[in-house]
Amino acid sequence: MNIRPDSGFGPLQQDPGSGLHYRLREQGRPGPVSARLLLLHGVGGNETNLAMLAAAIDPRVQVVLVRAPLALGPEQFAWFQVRFGASGPVIDPVQAERSRQQLLTLVRGLQTQDGGMPARTVVAGFSQGGILSASAGLSAPLDVAGFAVLSGRILPELEPHLAPRTELAGSNGFIAHGRFDDKLPVAWAERADQWLDALGVPHRTQLYPIGHELSLTVVDDFKHWLAEPLSLI
């Protein structure tokens, strides 16, 4: 899937600090950016996959469609390699950590461009993109005001990188998962919910009668949640 020239998204560009590629949605309103949403695709996809979700977001928000750094094939990318065994998914932790650092470098680079008033930033993603969203939000809540995990999970490998509880208390999370997900079973959402409770992270967890996918209801709930961490209310 390629983004058409008239789709409202700019050309692919590269952030010099992180090396990540991304596209910007054209601003609905002129003036400085005060709210920003980074959207991350899943494994084997690319930055265009969440264009329809991006199109539904409040025009006051600068939407950034980010391409994962690991090339798997033509127009196919991932944040880290993963294989599924009898005990569940097994990841490449070095790649996952590198992607987390690159993502935070991109977040901070964009905020530097904002000048003296960095935009409030939320990172959200589908599947593996949701995993990276949680990794960014839970390790750097002073830079990432909120994170959304859409049909994803929180990596146990993230634990050494968690921010202090005092900082996590100011974060905001959204967990959305299909009850019939056959890629990442709903137990991962339940574990994420329990872990966020234990960490004292304010969050909302919502389960839906769907599989490993996004639905209109998920998008609608996500949009309503997004207004809080981005201070759009």
Side-chain angles (χ1 to χ4, degrees), residues 180-193:
F180 311 120
D181 193 322
D182 61 351
K183 300 290 193 303
L184 291 172
V186 68
W188 285 110
E190 295 164 348
R191 293 175 195 174
D193 181 70

Side-chain angles (χ1 to χ4, degrees), residues 83-124:
R83 59 181 176 84
F84 291 86
S87 59
V90 179
I91 72 164
D92 184 320
V94 174
Q95 292 175 346
E97 173 59 13
R98 184 183 302 120
S99 287
R100 182 185 72 87
Q101 293 180 11
Q102 286 180 279
L103 180 58
L104 288 175
T105 298
L106 173 61
V107 167
R108 292 161 181 157
L110 292 171
Q111 291 173 339
T112 297
Q113 295 177 22
D114 299 329
M117 292 291 291
R120 290 185 64 83
T121 300
V122 165
V123 184

Side-chain angles (χ1 to χ4, degrees), residues 31-169:
V33 176
S34 60
R36 177 176 292 121
L37 169 65
L38 277 69
L39 289 176
L40 315 182
H41 64 83
V43 62
N46 61 60
E47 78 285 352
T48 68
N49 293 158
L50 296 181
M52 293 299 293
L53 173 58
I57 301 303
D58 190 309
R60 290 175 290 176
V61 179
Q62 182 189 67
V63 180
V64 187
L65 301 179
V66 188
R67 174 181 289 185
L70 182 63
L72 302 179
E75 298 300 312
Q76 296 180 322
F77 302 88
W79 298 95
F80 52 84
Q81 291 179 319
V82 60
R83 59 181 176 84
F84 291 86
S87 59
V90 179
I91 72 164
D92 184 320
V94 174
Q95 292 175 346
E97 173 59 13
R98 184 183 302 120
S99 287
R100 182 185 72 87
Q101 293 180 11
Q102 286 180 279
L103 180 58
L104 288 175
T105 298
L106 173 61
V107 167
R108 292 161 181 157
L110 292 171
Q111 291 173 339
T112 297
Q113 295 177 22
D114 299 329
M117 292 291 291
R120 290 185 64 83
T121 300
V122 165
V123 184
F126 176 73
S127 194
Q128 198 177 84
I131 292 173
L132 260 292
S133 299
S135 293
L138 292 173
S139 62
L142 299 184
D143 301 299
V144 179
F147 61 93
V149 183
L150 311 176
S151 299
R153 65 187 182 109
I154 301 176
L155 293 178
E157 293 87 350
L158 180 65
E159 187 165 9
H161 307 290
L162 291 173
R165 289 178 63 92
T166 52
E167 295 179 8
L168 289 173

Side-chain angles (χ1 to χ4, degrees), residues 1 3 11 15-16 23 36 66 78 100 106 155 201 203 213:
M1 169 182 172
I3 295 180
D15 172 59
R23 298 178 191 267
R36 177 176 292 121
V66 188
R100 182 185 72 87
L106 173 61
L155 293 178
V201 177
H203 67 284
E213 59 189 312

